[in-house]
């Protein structure tokens, strides 16, 4: 720490991203990226756009946002683009969480970090023993509510009627649904926007769109909420999304067939991996995401993590009491999951 850092940041604990090793031989199942490349149409669009990198990107992100609003069937004033969904989440903690932020004890690790960064008081709501969210725990809150649906690292999803219950009991509280993993088997809350102006949906191109390295997130909500987000963005960085990413994303949205094939393949591989592990006595949550959350009742999570690592397979282990014996494992290709299952057998699980 330099002597120039503001006092208020002395205690700041940054988010710990999953490792990004440069070792090519590693099977990387630790950060929920897609094992598949982006749509070839997205790649082509990015390459073409690269020739215009001398020019700033469109601060209104029109080409992308018009494709996105068409995709969701909402107005172009109801969508917002950000540099990864992390950026729009940061804006929400910074500017729309004046009365605090409520979220689960086990959820996306950035929520508590943003609280810390922006001086937002967190209200931590423990998941039930089975790791599910009890919607009633979120009724009648004053804090902005952040729910990842499906949740990470559990993979468990709320139904739309459960989300509706939370919205009905918080008509004057903003409810943010983080849909980073929604495409892998949960139901999007976007249709509820017609009925609720206290709802904001956040999404990302990092997972189901195979574009983690492009850094693109979005929000969908009322025109007023989107205008608020633009107020923050234009006070911070008007060119927050680069032109190659915007062009690639518009092409990716329009390539429905590619998206659906990749998604379906991941869902199938997830189902088969969970089946195989349950047969061997592993506990697995009913994940609706592109990762599985598993525990071997006879072996500490850290030991499995380390032994997989020795075999060049990287998974995510959290040094957090409640989930210390659980592992979050990204669903990779079928070959990668076969290698995982073989390695686990060798380890004795
Ligand atoms: C991956 C993830 C994000 C952030 O994704 P970006 O890469 O910043 O778009 C947000 N929320 C959850 C729950 C995630 O798992």
């Amino acid at each position: 720490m330099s002597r120039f850092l503001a006092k208020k940041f002395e205690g700041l604990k940054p988010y710990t991203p999953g490792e990004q090793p440069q070792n090519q031989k590693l099977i990387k199942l630790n950060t929920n990226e897609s094992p598949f490349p982006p749509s070839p149409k997205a790649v082509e669009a990015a390459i073409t756009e690269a020739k215009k990198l001398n020019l700033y990107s469109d601060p209104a992100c029109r080409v992308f946002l018009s494709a996105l609003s068409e995709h969701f069937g909402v107005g172009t004033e109801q969508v917002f683009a950000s540099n990864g969904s992390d950026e729009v989440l940061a804006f929400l903690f910074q500017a729309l969480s004046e009365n605090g932020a409520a979220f689960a004890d086990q959820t996306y690790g950035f929520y508590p970090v943003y609280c810390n960064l922006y001086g937002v008081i967190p209200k931590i709501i423990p998941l039930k023993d089975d790791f599910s969210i009890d919607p009633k725990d979120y009724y009648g809150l004053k804090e902005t509510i952040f729910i990842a649906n499906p949740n990470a690292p559990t993979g468990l999803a709320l139904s739309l009627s459960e989300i509706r219950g939370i919205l009905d009991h918080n008509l004057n509280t903003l409810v943010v649904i983080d849909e980073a993993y929604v495409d892998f088997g949960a139901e999007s809350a976007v249709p509820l926007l017609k009925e609720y102006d206290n709802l904001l949906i956040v999404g990302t191109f990092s997972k189901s769109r195979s574009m983690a390295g492009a850094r693109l997130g979005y929000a969908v909500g009322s025109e007023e909420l989107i205008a608020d987000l633009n107020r923050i963005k234009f006070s911070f960085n008007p060119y927050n999304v680069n032109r190659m990413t915007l062009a690639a994303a518009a092409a990716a949205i329009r390539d429905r067939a590619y998206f659906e094939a990749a998604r379906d393949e991941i869902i199938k591989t997830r189902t088969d991996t969970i089946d195989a592990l349950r047969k061997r006595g592993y506990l697995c949550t009913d994940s609706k995401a592109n990762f599985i959350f598993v525990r071997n009742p006879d072996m500490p999570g850290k030991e499995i993590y380390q032994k997989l690592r020795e075999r060049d397979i990287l998974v995510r282990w959290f040094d957090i009491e409640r989930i210390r014996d659980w592992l979050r494992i990204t669903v990779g290709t079928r070959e990668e999951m076969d290698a995982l299952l073989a390695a686990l057998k060798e380890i004795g699980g």
Side-chain angles (χ1 to χ4, degrees):
M1 192 195 315
S2 81
R3 64 189 192 283
F4 307 110
L5 183 71
K7 287 272 176 299
K8 63 177 177 182
F9 293 132
E10 281 178 358
L12 189 62
K13 280 198 197 61
Y15 176 72
T16 318
E19 252 185 286
Q20 297 293 353
Q22 299 308 311
N23 174 359
Q24 295 291 322
K25 143 175 125 159
L26 220 59
I27 297 183
K28 196 171 172 307
L29 306 175
N30 68 330
T31 50
N32 299 342
E33 290 140 320
S34 170
F36 305 118
S39 149
K41 291 178 181 148
V43 174
E44 194 184 293
I47 292 170
T48 306
E49 197 67 18
K51 295 175 188 125
K52 295 187 215 153
L53 279 176
N54 55 314
L55 302 173
Y56 279 110
S57 59
D58 175 13
C61 306
R62 273 166 293 208
V63 171
F64 165 61
L65 288 180
S66 108
L68 192 73
S69 67
E70 204 176 289
H71 172 75
F72 284 124
V74 300
T76 50
E77 307 299 310
Q78 289 188 270
V79 283
F80 177 81
S82 63
N83 194 306
S85 55
D86 289 341
E87 187 182 54
V88 65
L89 288 167
F91 291 171
L92 291 166
F93 280 87
Q94 183 178 29
L96 289 119
S97 300
E98 210 174 16
N99 296 322
F103 47 86
D105 61 337
Q106 304 305 325
T107 188
Y108 189 37
F110 241 126
Y111 303 160
V113 174
Y114 286 142
C115 278
N116 215 331
L117 178 62
Y118 294 117
V120 172
I121 296 171
K123 179 185 174 69
I124 309 291
I125 303 177
L127 299 175
K128 293 196 286 187
D129 287 342
D130 64 359
F131 294 137
S132 65
I133 283 175
D134 186 344
K136 291 193 194 63
D137 290 345
Y138 291 78
Y139 287 5
L141 298 185
K142 68 173 181 9
E143 295 85 0
T144 299
I145 295 169
F146 290 85
I147 295 178
N149 193 48
N151 194 18
T154 64
L156 298 177
L158 289 175
S159 68
L160 276 200
S161 66
E162 289 172 312
I163 290 175
R164 194 184 274 282
I166 293 170
L167 290 163
D168 279 329
H169 288 85
N170 286 289
L171 293 176
N172 291 309
T173 297
L174 178 60
V175 178
V176 177
I177 305 292
D178 180 344
E179 297 194 341
Y181 302 105
V182 77
D183 294 328
F184 300 106
E187 235 182 313
S188 173
V190 167
L192 299 184
L193 286 170
K194 285 200 194 74
E195 293 165 68
Y196 297 95
D197 69 355
N198 56 327
L199 169 64
L200 187 83
I201 319 280
V202 169
T204 179
F205 275 55
S206 294
K207 279 94 187 208
S208 62
R209 299 276 174 186
S210 299
M211 285 177 54
R215 311 304 304 126
L216 181 64
Y218 59 85
V220 195
S222 70
E223 292 190 10
E224 291 79 7
L225 280 170
I226 298 304
D228 290 344
L229 289 171
N230 275 313
R231 183 189 289 255
I232 306 305
K233 158 177 153 161
F234 282 91
S235 306
F236 173 67
N237 178 11
Y239 311 107
N240 63 335
V241 186
N242 75 77
R243 16 170 94 247
M244 290 166 73
T245 292
L246 290 172
I253 292 181
R254 295 194 165 113
D255 195 351
R256 256 202 116 76
Y258 184 89
F259 164 77
E260 286 171 2
R263 176 202 59 194
D264 292 350
E265 176 64 17
I266 285 171
I267 292 174
K268 250 196 283 154
T269 307
R270 176 187 70 206
T271 306
D272 294 346
T273 307
I274 289 179
D275 286 350
L277 288 173
R278 281 190 176 144
K279 279 199 191 106
R280 295 190 199 171
Y282 277 80
L283 304 175
C284 305
T285 61
D286 187 18
S287 174
K288 303 288 187 219
N290 68 337
F291 55 82
I292 59 175
F293 195 52
V294 303
R295 173 183 175 180
N296 180 330
D298 303 317
M299 204 181 287
K302 187 178 186 181
E303 186 182 335
I304 304 177
Y305 161 77
Q306 284 169 336
K307 288 186 167 163
L308 284 174
R309 212 194 147 124
E310 286 161 18
R311 289 162 176 78
D312 286 327
I313 298 177
L314 196 51
V315 301
R316 194 80 194 260
W317 171 70
F318 297 93
D319 194 4
I320 296 172
E321 160 130 17
R322 198 176 168 185
I323 54 170
R324 190 163 283 137
D325 284 325
W326 291 80
L327 296 169
R328 192 196 71 190
I329 305 177
T330 305
V331 177
T333 62
R334 196 153 283 271
E335 295 70 33
E336 287 172 331
M337 298 322 264
D338 287 345
L340 170 81
L341 292 171
L344 286 173
K345 189 159 269 172
E346 238 178 75
I347 291 165

